[in-house]
Amino acid sequence: MIRKCCMNRSDLGGWTRIVVEKPFGKDLQSAENLSAQIGELFDEPQIYRIDHYLGKELVQNMLVLRFANRFFLPLWNRDNIDNVQIVFREDFGTEGRGGYFDEYGIIRDIIQNHLLQVLCLVAMEKPVSLKPEHIRDEKVKVLQSVLPIKDEEVVLGQYEGYRDDPTVPDQSNTPTFATMVLRIHNERWEGVPFIMKAGKALNSRKAEIRVQFKDVPGDIFKCKRQGRNEFVIRLQPSEAIYMKLTVKQPGLEMSTIQSELDLSYRQRYQGVTIPEAYERLILDTIRGDQQHFVRRDELKAAWEIFTPLLHRIDNGEMKPIPYKPGSRGPAEADELLSNAGYVQTHGYIWIPPTL
């Protein structure tokens, strides 16, 4: 009906652009069916598959940080980076959206789209230019390099009380928490685990990218006990970019402590309004810029990664582990992180600067 009634038929140079909101299907087959149906009605340049995460200020900053700063270029590879975490945490449950959420679960709702898009920007090679197609070409290459997900590198959870929601089936197997390891089979990232973590009803609310570097060789300061260098991009709340690094503890002793180099947006850019993600993306639609939208082959590659795992969960072959609301999630998830090589820093807490 949109094509029939709203399509621009003017020969005066107008345009038609249609924004399609996620979820784009539930698995590879349904996504391909949806793409085929829409593709019969509209051409690919007219279709804007929107993922609001691509409109977030710090996500859009990712390409600039990686490709406009000399000191990241030689470090951004398997020789220096030990692991990458992409984390989404909420401190509340489904809250009235249980019916919708139970049909999709945390992997379809958050990981397969939002976090996977962030992974592409962290892992992609430098595009030929900033033209939308050049950027999207590189994102597709990353997705096509992801190896099949191993069951032993997945931990699923469901918070206690989730099934009490009247819109959720009593025997629901839907995960409200998932941690998994994705591995990229290419020259830059071979052997580096990309840890995707998302959950509801946890002990904090935040979304961030955490790039953890390898230990310093020949560590004369015995820094290992304090933790590794990390580059953290805080997407929400309190947008910030900070680097965890080891410095001399002030005083007479030659001892070390972890501190940070910090760019906190509220402090650095006072009086600057950061646009809402949808604001930015709708403006991009009007401008005809598809850089921050999902192309059809990109969507297909994303579903190819997750569909086998999702079907095993849907068939009851994998069960979520119960966890208490307000916790870090199942303890098995921390074990998976440790097994993947992530080293947690004890005693250091990043405190957002106050004005």
Side-chain angles (χ1 to χ4, degrees):
M1 293 306 295
I2 291 174
R3 176 177 169 79
K4 183 179 175 183
C5 302
C6 309
M7 186 83 161
N8 172 52
R9 303 183 192 283
S10 166
D11 56 358
L12 301 176
W15 45 259
T16 296
R17 294 173 191 142
I18 182 162
V19 179
V20 184
E21 178 62 277
K22 80 165 186 76
F24 315 118
K26 289 189 69 173
D27 57 11
L28 178 60
Q29 187 61 52
S30 57
E32 281 290 275
N33 292 344
L34 181 63
S35 291
Q37 289 170 2
I38 297 176
E40 289 174 8
L41 302 171
F42 301 95
D43 297 330
E44 185 64 26
Q46 296 175 314
I47 303 168
Y48 287 68
R49 297 176 192 85
I50 196 167
D51 183 334
H52 74 272
Y53 251 60
L54 290 174
K56 288 186 176 293
E57 181 70 34
L58 273 290
V59 174
Q60 297 207 341
N61 206 342
M62 199 66 230
L63 291 188
V64 180
L65 286 170
R66 284 195 55 200
F67 301 125
N69 292 292
R70 178 76 195 198
F71 45 69
F72 285 129
L73 293 175
L75 295 179
W76 213 259
N77 55 48
R78 62 192 297 272
D79 298 328
N80 300 288
I81 292 173
D82 187 89
N83 60 77
V84 177
Q85 267 194 79
I86 303 171
V87 178
F88 175 94
R89 303 164 67 91
E90 286 183 334
D91 56 3
F92 53 89
T94 50
E95 297 193 348
R97 294 175 69 240
Y100 160 79
F101 184 85
D102 197 73
E103 197 177 334
Y104 287 90
I106 197 75
I107 297 174
R108 289 183 175 98
D109 195 39
I110 302 294
I111 296 178
Q112 184 272 340
N113 42 78
H114 299 332
L115 301 196
L116 196 63
Q117 286 292 326
V118 173
L119 178 144
C120 288
L121 296 172
V122 173
M124 65 188 268
E125 298 298 319
K126 183 187 283 190
V128 177
S129 75
L130 290 178
K131 289 181 180 175
E133 294 315 305
H134 288 156
I135 291 172
R136 300 202 293 183
D137 286 347
E138 296 303 333
K139 288 165 69 181
V140 171
K141 288 179 191 174
V142 172
L143 295 173
Q144 291 173 338
S145 301
V146 175
L147 295 171
I149 301 169
K150 298 177 181 174
D151 286 358
E152 61 268 25
E153 292 195 316
V154 177
V155 172
L156 305 175
Q158 186 186 86
Y159 68 84
E160 295 171 4
Y162 169 70
R163 297 178 190 175
D164 295 344
D165 185 321
T167 61
V168 172
D170 292 341
Q171 303 303 316
S172 172
N173 194 50
T174 300
T176 61
F177 173 99
T179 295
M180 62 188 65
V181 178
L182 268 59
R183 298 186 181 273
I184 300 172
H185 183 56
N186 66 16
E187 185 178 2
R188 184 183 292 269
W189 297 115
E190 185 76 47
V192 178
F194 280 74
I195 301 160
M196 315 280 270
K197 184 175 181 179
K200 290 183 172 291
L202 298 174
N203 59 351
S204 63
R205 174 181 171 261
K206 67 178 178 180
E208 65 183 18
I209 307 162
R210 188 173 291 269
V211 179
Q212 186 171 87
F213 290 87
K214 294 186 173 182
D215 291 321
V216 174
D219 178 15
I220 60 173
F221 294 105
K222 308 289 187 291
C223 302
K224 197 177 288 188
R225 64 176 181 269
Q226 285 169 344
R228 292 167 160 171
N229 295 147
E230 289 183 356
F231 179 55
V232 183
I233 301 166
R234 175 91 166 215
L235 306 179
Q236 66 181 44
S238 306
E239 293 94 340
I241 300 163
Y242 65 95
M243 296 181 73
K244 279 170 57 177
L245 70 169
T246 302
V247 298
K248 178 187 173 296
Q249 188 162 8
L252 296 174
E253 300 296 322
M254 178 52 80
S255 57
T256 57
I257 191 171
Q258 277 218 319
S259 188
E260 69 282 319
L261 296 175
D262 195 327
L263 165 59
S264 289
Y265 273 56
R266 283 183 197 163
Q267 190 178 45
R268 180 67 178 82
Y269 302 113
Q270 296 178 36
V272 176
T273 302
I274 296 177
E276 287 293 324
Y278 279 106
E279 255 182 289
R280 201 187 305 260
L281 294 175
I282 290 169
L283 180 59
D284 281 348
T285 307
I286 294 167
R287 288 171 168 164
D289 184 349
Q290 286 188 309
Q291 175 181 329
H292 303 114
F293 295 83
V294 182
R295 202 166 66 188
R296 180 173 177 172
D297 57 342
E298 189 181 344
L299 178 63
K300 181 173 184 281
W303 276 119
E304 283 173 343
I305 295 168
F306 285 98
T307 292
L309 171 65
L310 289 166
H311 283 177
R312 290 197 292 278
I313 297 169
D314 294 343
N315 295 336
E317 296 170 35
M318 300 179 72
K319 301 284 186 185
I321 301 163
Y323 65 94
K324 291 193 180 305
S327 69
R328 283 178 54 82
E332 288 84 347
D334 287 333
E335 290 174 26
L336 176 60
L337 261 65
S338 179
N339 292 339
Y342 175 71
V343 177
Q344 190 172 357
T345 304
H346 296 284
Y348 168 87
I349 298 173
W350 177 70
I351 300 170
T354 52
L355 298 178

